[in-house]
Amino acid sequence: MEEVTHVYFVPGLAADVSIFEYIELPVDKYRMYTIPWKIPQENETIQNYAQRMCKEVMHTNSVLVGVSFGGVIVQEMSKYLRVKKLIVISSVKNKHELPTRMKLVRKTKAYKIFPTSIISKINNWEKLAFGDFAKKRAAMYQKYLSINDKRYLDWAIKNIVCWDQETSLPGIVHIHGDKDIVFPIANIKNCITVEKGTHVMIINRARWFNKNLPEIIEN
């Protein structure tokens, strides 16, 4: 009997694990698990937070997959686990891949005044949208961006812009869309490029991932 590979998925900043609802891996070879966000403790370091997330990983030699800020977290988690493969999607592998605007936010400490208290109170995104396309996108945000705890948002925004990883981890696999406006591909080195892939391609390009992820995991 062929050995089963255990694959753990961590969503993007403020996103619910439902962003992985369209991802399907062959059931004879893989078991899929999702790790939801935890509320950070007061002044918790990203390292300590990653160690708490590691407690959800029940298998050795598993695969970690992280999207966006989840990609940063799985990199931190991998420092405490033995992993078969580390995969980041729509993310960054070190602080130098962060866009200029995020580096500026870090330098000026503008993340301290980000209006997370307002975001945390939004419970109907569609009211903020105009036009059909905007309403459709707002409905998507409403569905997937459901982690609106102010403490979590403050912590996550600070930790993405202030992430201090100097060099990329060895063996990491990076999948990135060439139309990603959150982390523009111009700043990204050594990645598998998804043509016309946006920052939310884990949702709207799920077919690409279902086709290619097994090969990426095994190679």
Side-chain angles (χ1 to χ4, degrees):
M1 191 177 148
E2 201 171 350
E3 203 177 316
V4 166
T5 298
H6 301 276
V7 187
Y8 288 83
F9 292 85
V10 177
L13 195 152
D16 184 73
V17 295
S18 61
I19 67 164
F20 302 113
E21 65 181 340
Y22 303 119
I23 301 301
E24 294 171 356
L25 298 175
V27 291
D28 57 327
K29 286 186 173 182
Y30 303 99
R31 296 286 179 276
M32 290 175 54
Y33 311 85
T34 54
I35 306 179
W37 291 111
K38 297 176 182 293
I39 301 305
Q41 294 160 357
E42 202 173 339
N43 300 319
E44 187 169 20
T45 64
I46 196 168
Q47 291 81 11
N48 193 64
Y49 187 90
Q51 284 175 285
R52 286 204 294 133
M53 293 287 272
C54 284
K55 289 175 182 169
E56 306 299 321
V57 179
M58 300 301 173
H59 308 88
T60 55
N61 213 29
S62 54
V63 175
L64 296 183
V65 182
V67 173
S68 191
F69 182 52
V72 169
I73 293 297
V74 295
Q75 288 174 72
E76 292 295 332
M77 288 169 67
S78 76
K79 296 169 186 176
Y80 307 101
L81 298 167
R82 201 176 90 220
V83 298
K84 174 178 176 173
K85 182 89 42 150
L86 177 61
I87 301 169
V88 300
I89 298 163
S90 310
S91 190
V92 292
K93 301 184 294 299
N94 56 65
K95 67 180 185 181
H96 306 290
E97 292 188 336
L98 289 167
T100 307
R101 67 179 180 278
M102 285 192 188
K103 291 175 183 171
L104 193 65
V105 166
R106 174 185 180 147
K107 208 172 182 178
T108 60
K109 297 193 172 166
Y111 56 83
K112 291 185 174 180
I113 55 166
F114 199 79
T116 49
S117 56
I118 296 169
I119 294 169
S120 66
K121 289 182 175 71
I122 295 173
N123 53 22
N124 191 347
W125 284 85
E126 289 190 55
K127 284 181 181 169
L128 305 178
F130 303 97
D132 289 345
F133 179 73
K135 277 193 163 55
K136 193 176 169 187
R137 181 172 287 190
M140 187 174 83
Y141 288 164
Q142 180 88 39
K143 180 178 179 182
Y144 295 113
L145 296 182
S146 60
I147 316 301
N148 56 9
D149 180 273
K150 181 177 170 6
R151 196 193 324 173
Y152 164 81
L153 291 171
D154 286 341
W155 179 88
I157 289 164
K158 178 188 174 183
N159 277 282
I160 183 66
V161 299
C162 296
W163 192 43
D164 229 11
Q165 185 151 286
E166 190 66 41
T167 56
S168 303
L169 298 178
I172 189 170
V173 177
H174 188 169
I175 306 170
H176 212 82
D178 63 3
K179 297 283 185 278
D180 193 315
I181 59 170
V182 177
F183 299 123
I185 201 163
N187 303 318
I188 306 297
K189 292 183 170 64
N190 305 322
C191 70
I192 297 167
T193 305
V194 178
E195 215 174 306
K196 295 182 182 166
T198 65
H199 196 65
V200 295
M201 63 184 182
I202 193 70
I203 299 162
N204 58 26
R205 296 294 298 278
R207 214 177 291 172
W208 186 95
F209 288 97
N210 293 342
K211 182 186 172 191
N212 293 283
L213 267 181
E215 194 185 332
I216 289 167
I217 288 169
E218 299 309 327
N219 289 344

